[in-house]
Amino acid sequence: MPSPITMAPTRAVPLAVYVIAAGIFAMTTSEFAVAGLMPQLAAGLGVGIEQIGYLVTVFAVAMTVGGPALTVLLLHVPPKTALLAIFGIFLVGNVIAALSTSYLVMVVARVISGVASQAFFGIGISMSARLVDESMRGRASGVAMNGLMLGTLLGLPIATFVGGQFGWRAAFWAISAITVLAAALTVKFVQIPAASGVQEEAQVSMREELAVLRRPQFVLALASSTLIIGATFSAFSFFTPILTEITGFSESLVPLLLLAYGAATLIGNMVVARLADRRTISTLLVGTALNAVFLAGFALFADVPPLALVAMLGIGLVGVTMNPAMAVRVQRAGSTSPLVNTIHASFITLGIILSSAIGSALIPSHGLRAPVVLGITMAVLAILVILPALSSAYLRNGSRPSAEALVPVEA
């Protein structure tokens, strides 16, 4: 049995959660950096653009499969120590990337970074939830997930700029420096105070952890997260070619449009974080329905610049920004344990993998709008998977535990 995690939940979001957000920012910047450095990496490693594209896939697969495995290995480690160990592994991955002299070495670097990144997401979100009162978990998750939004808004442009000005190796050195800074902030400011009369979730055995996976509402929560994020990335993954080839925007304007999209995700995330605790399921339903509408608008009016822009910003407001509400739903249907949160993060990544892979396969036969239509379909399916949660008051708003949601049943 692992030693208990002694954390005293509070009704205010503590500084430690903001520091966790800084760590997520570093991880996200590294994840997206390859997308902004494709030409330089291809030239530097002597391979084609398509092979550099596989580095994105490798990172995502490593997150999905390796993240939970690393989390299991760290379950017996105090959470702060676990975060620092992950920082060390992640730093190794980025240093290897900066020193890579061959494509194979870069693949190894991306696998190491991807595994560490997913484990950090799971343990970091778990710690954020346990550092606050249960009624504040959505807000705390939103603060932590701001690191993801800022990684999209600022991290990717910064990595792309540094790589363009000083070479792709400099971008990975810059990410390494950010990682060291985030680790130092963790050492200084992430404190795990002793519990002060607050009843907290006890650490359980691995068998009991895995038993959560058989809860119907937990399985539905995972499926809805995969579909919600998949719907969003079915459009996001192909924004650049759609905006240039169909909408008619110049390539030089696309980075500014993506910057506006990133700003929309930051605003949406802050709004959803405020709603996630008391209106969990209604927020997911309304947000996903709006996402379906904006996706439909983007598919129908991609050739009308003003309407395409409005639809793109709408997708930013109500797409990936559902993360805080998704996290609260998963934690109520399962638990706040690091393993549960890491598995949830893996299902989110699975949505990215499926939408980008299926979307890419559809383009040759059906054109660039086809992935967006796929996104509409995934959003509608997500709504259908969310609806059963309305039967549980606890899942809807946290008012009281639902026996149906909390009692494990055999699959």
Side-chain angles (χ1 to χ4, degrees):
M1 290 281 290
S3 58
I5 298 178
T6 55
M7 289 184 277
T10 173
R11 295 191 64 84
V13 178
L15 179 59
V17 178
Y18 291 89
V19 174
I20 290 170
I24 291 177
F25 172 79
M27 309 284 164
T28 304
T29 301
S30 179
E31 178 183 359
F32 291 154
V34 167
L37 299 171
M38 282 189 173
Q40 298 97 319
L41 284 167
L45 298 175
V47 297
I49 289 290
E50 67 281 0
Q51 288 177 278
I52 299 301
Y54 287 132
L55 293 177
V56 177
T57 306
V58 164
F59 193 97
V61 172
M63 289 177 71
T64 304
V65 178
L70 178 58
T71 302
V72 169
L73 293 176
L74 294 173
L75 282 179
H76 295 265
V77 179
K80 180 175 178 178
T81 304
L83 289 183
L84 293 175
I86 293 170
F87 272 127
I89 296 169
F90 184 72
L91 180 62
V92 168
N94 281 280
V95 169
I96 292 175
L99 297 174
S100 293
T101 56
S102 71
Y103 180 75
L104 181 59
V105 173
M106 180 61 78
V107 169
V108 172
R110 298 306 285 170
V111 168
I112 294 172
S113 298
V115 169
S117 177
Q118 192 79 316
F120 189 93
F121 269 82
I123 295 176
I125 295 298
S126 173
M127 184 184 292
S128 298
R130 294 183 178 199
L131 283 170
V132 298
D133 182 81
E134 184 177 357
S135 64
M136 293 283 292
R137 286 176 180 174
R139 190 171 301 182
S141 295
V143 169
M145 292 307 295
N146 274 335
L148 172 62
M149 310 307 162
L150 289 172
T152 306
L153 179 64
L154 300 176
L156 175 57
I158 290 172
T160 303
F161 174 79
V162 171
Q165 295 295 313
F166 306 104
W168 60 268
R169 296 183 190 278
F172 285 104
W173 285 122
I175 294 169
S176 298
I178 295 172
T179 301
V180 172
L181 176 60
L185 291 173
T186 300
V187 171
K188 176 68 175 178
F189 295 110
V190 176
Q191 304 299 329
I192 313 299
S196 54
V198 180
Q199 183 68 32
E200 58 181 320
E201 297 177 28
Q203 290 291 296
V204 295
S205 69
M206 179 58 62
R207 183 175 180 179
E208 291 171 306
E209 288 266 16
L210 295 177
V212 173
L213 302 180
R214 298 197 298 271
R215 298 178 184 174
Q217 287 287 6
F218 180 70
V219 173
L220 290 173
L222 294 179
S224 65
S225 293
T226 297
L227 291 166
I228 290 169
I229 299 302
T232 302
F233 272 82
S234 66
F236 176 78
S237 300
F238 305 96
F239 271 160
T240 297
I242 291 174
L243 292 172
T244 55
E245 297 181 28
I246 298 179
T247 313
F249 288 119
S250 65
E251 290 187 5
S252 61
L253 186 59
V254 169
L256 294 178
L257 297 177
L258 293 178
L259 191 65
Y261 172 87
T265 65
L266 187 62
I267 294 169
N269 184 69
M270 290 188 290
V271 173
V272 172
R274 293 278 178 173
L275 301 172
D277 293 298
R278 296 300 300 167
R279 297 177 177 85
T280 310
I281 303 305
S282 59
T283 298
L284 287 172
L285 286 172
V286 172
T288 306
L290 286 174
N291 199 20
V293 171
F294 286 124
L295 286 165
F298 193 63
L300 290 172
F301 303 110
D303 54 348
V304 183
L307 296 179
L309 179 59
V310 170
M312 184 185 76
L313 295 178
I315 295 168
L317 283 171
V318 295
V320 70
T321 56
M322 292 297 108
N323 261 300
M326 286 157 42
V328 171
R329 183 188 179 192
V330 163
Q331 289 163 6
R332 286 176 182 165
S335 72
T336 60
S337 77
L339 182 58
V340 163
N341 284 276
T342 304
I343 290 173
H344 181 219
S346 291
F347 273 81
I348 289 174
T349 306
L350 178 62
I352 298 173
I353 295 172
L354 290 176
S355 61
S356 59
I358 298 173
S360 296
L362 290 173
I363 289 175
S365 300
H366 303 284
L368 283 170
R369 297 178 199 247
V372 186
V373 176
L374 169 67
I376 299 169
T377 304
M378 296 182 81
V380 172
L381 290 174
I383 292 172
L384 296 177
V385 176
I386 294 168
L387 285 173
L390 289 173
S391 64
S392 167
Y394 182 60
L395 294 179
R396 287 199 309 270
N397 52 38
S399 61
R400 63 180 180 84
S402 166
E404 178 185 0
L406 296 180
V407 177
V409 298
E410 293 298 326

